Amino acid sequence: MVPTTPTGPAPHSGHRSPPPGGPPAPTDAAPTDGPRATDAGRDATDAAEAGPPHAVRLDGVRVVHGSGARAVTALDDVSIGFARGTFTAIMGPSGSGKSTLLQCAAGLDRPTAGRVVLAGTDIGGLDENARTRLRRERVGFVFQAFNLVESLTAAENVVLPSRFGGRRVGRDRVAEALEAVGLADRAHHRPSQLSGGQQPRVALARALVSRPDVLFADEPTGALDTATSAEVLRLMRMLVDARGGTTLMVTHDPVAAAGADVVVFLKDGRIVDRLDLGRGPDDDSGNQDSGNQDSGNQDSGNQDSGNHDSGSGNGHLKGASSPDPGATHPRSLAERASVIAARTTRLES
């Protein structure tokens, strides 16, 4: 498999764009005699139109467990940016580095080498307290185990991480989060009083209540039935489409990954492929020939025209993980899942 190098907007530093009239957004470049303060709003608008900044960026990230002959490389020189307002699925065989990538991107683990920028902050220089504050304020998490406290109501479970962090969350914010996941009338119910489909929605509301820049999800549908999985994925898709959030999801399930804009494949700690699915599935459009996307023996150059760098040879993906608006994509969920399954089989063979 030839490693991929997607085209698209030039990488950005990942800093938030300032409001009109505010100071220009900081960059990683050396300071210059920049524009006057009165032009800052127009410059910020021009930058936004040039392409979405990264919500998360990893540069040359390497994770090695152990040392000497017993050293195990979990991530091997991974470089990738995840654009704001996108939904990326991360796939690969067991031991490929999927969860390690997610944990490094979220600031839960420190890489052995490399740089991670999360919500505009280079987290490498932060101490543990500062990293914890950043995660509480800018990041949401959804795991396979929902970790709901049985003695607390749904509303109390939603605010629990904020309480641990010493932050007060208003009732309106809690009600908004529960309403977003369809549980406005279950705020005072305990987990045992909720259905199997409602409990994961409480966990999702807990992740959304802080209005995170990025939602990290590690196998969020792994223990769910088909109907509940579909509902959770629909809500995660909503975070991206309706709220402009960014979602990174580790999954082994092609159907779950079919709801993403982009699928990134890992193998042996390296990014070996990227599949651009376009913006969200449309189950009403089942007539498109998914073979145009991936017939199982497709030349990789036809999949992401111009996105493969046969000379890089280092197994990492550069640039932004964002959908290519000019490409042709399979639209229905079934088509997208079929394309992903075919690509997964080919990579694992």
Side-chain angles (χ1 to χ4, degrees), residues 83-332:
R84 292 188 185 278
T86 59
F87 188 164
T88 302
I90 302 169
M91 301 188 73
S94 178
S96 61
K98 304 184 300 295
S99 292
T100 302
L101 187 154
L102 195 77
Q103 289 162 2
C104 286
L108 293 171
D109 287 347
R110 291 181 181 271
T112 306
R115 179 170 178 257
V116 178
V117 177
L118 172 60
T121 300
D122 185 343
I123 63 178
L126 301 181
D127 61 26
E128 199 55 46
N129 288 335
R131 290 160 70 94
T132 299
R133 285 195 299 272
L134 179 67
R135 289 194 299 266
R136 285 173 176 166
E137 294 172 2
R138 310 294 289 275
V139 171
F141 294 97
V142 178
F143 299 104
Q144 185 171 337
F146 306 125
N147 299 320
L148 301 181
V149 179
E150 179 57 41
S151 61
L152 301 181
T153 65
E156 291 167 339
N157 269 286
V158 166
V159 301
L160 189 59
S162 299
R163 288 179 57 189
F164 284 151
R167 293 186 296 115
R168 182 181 179 84
V169 178
R171 292 181 180 178
D172 290 346
R173 179 80 69 86
V174 176
E176 176 188 338
L178 287 170
E179 183 178 6
V181 298
L183 293 178
D185 58 344
R186 295 291 187 268
H188 302 295
H189 289 65
R190 289 182 169 80
S192 62
Q193 299 171 311
L194 299 173
S195 70
Q198 291 171 336
Q199 291 179 14
R201 287 193 259 165
V202 175
L204 189 56
R206 183 175 57 198
L208 299 181
V209 74
S210 62
R211 296 173 181 168
D213 291 63
V214 189
L215 177 66
F216 293 96
D218 195 352
E219 297 283 5
T221 64
L224 303 179
D225 60 55
T226 302
T228 304
S229 295
E231 179 63 12
V232 169
L233 292 167
R234 183 189 69 79
L235 293 169
M236 291 173 61
R237 181 77 243 180
M238 176 206 69
L239 173 66
V240 175
D241 294 337
R243 299 190 174 194
T246 304
T247 294
L248 275 64
M249 176 182 69
V250 165
T251 184
H252 69 282
D253 182 3
V255 176
D261 305 316
V262 175
V263 184
V264 173
F265 297 90
L266 274 75
K267 187 175 183 179
D268 298 328
R270 293 186 172 197
I271 296 177
V272 294
D273 205 358
R274 170 187 183 273
L275 183 58
D276 184 357
L277 294 173
R279 197 68 169 182
D282 179 1
D283 285 328
D284 292 332
S285 59
N287 297 326
Q288 184 173 349
D289 181 7
S290 62
N292 293 337
Q293 177 75 8
D294 187 340
S295 61
N297 57 3
Q298 176 185 3
D299 180 358
S300 60
N302 294 335
Q303 170 62 35
D304 293 305
S305 177
N307 288 348
H308 293 265
D309 179 5
S310 59
S312 64
N314 56 5
H316 66 210
L317 183 65
K318 300 177 181 178
S321 174
S322 55
D324 178 3
T328 300
H329 312 290
R331 293 306 310 158
S332 76

Side-chain angles (χ1 to χ4, degrees), residues 64-73:
V64 179
H65 301 299
S67 60
R70 296 186 176 182
V72 176
T73 300

Side-chain angles (χ1 to χ4, degrees), residues 30 39 45 115 166 193 289 338-339 346:
D39 295 331
T45 300
R115 179 170 178 257
Q193 299 171 311
D289 181 7
S338 177
V339 168
R346 193 171 71 195

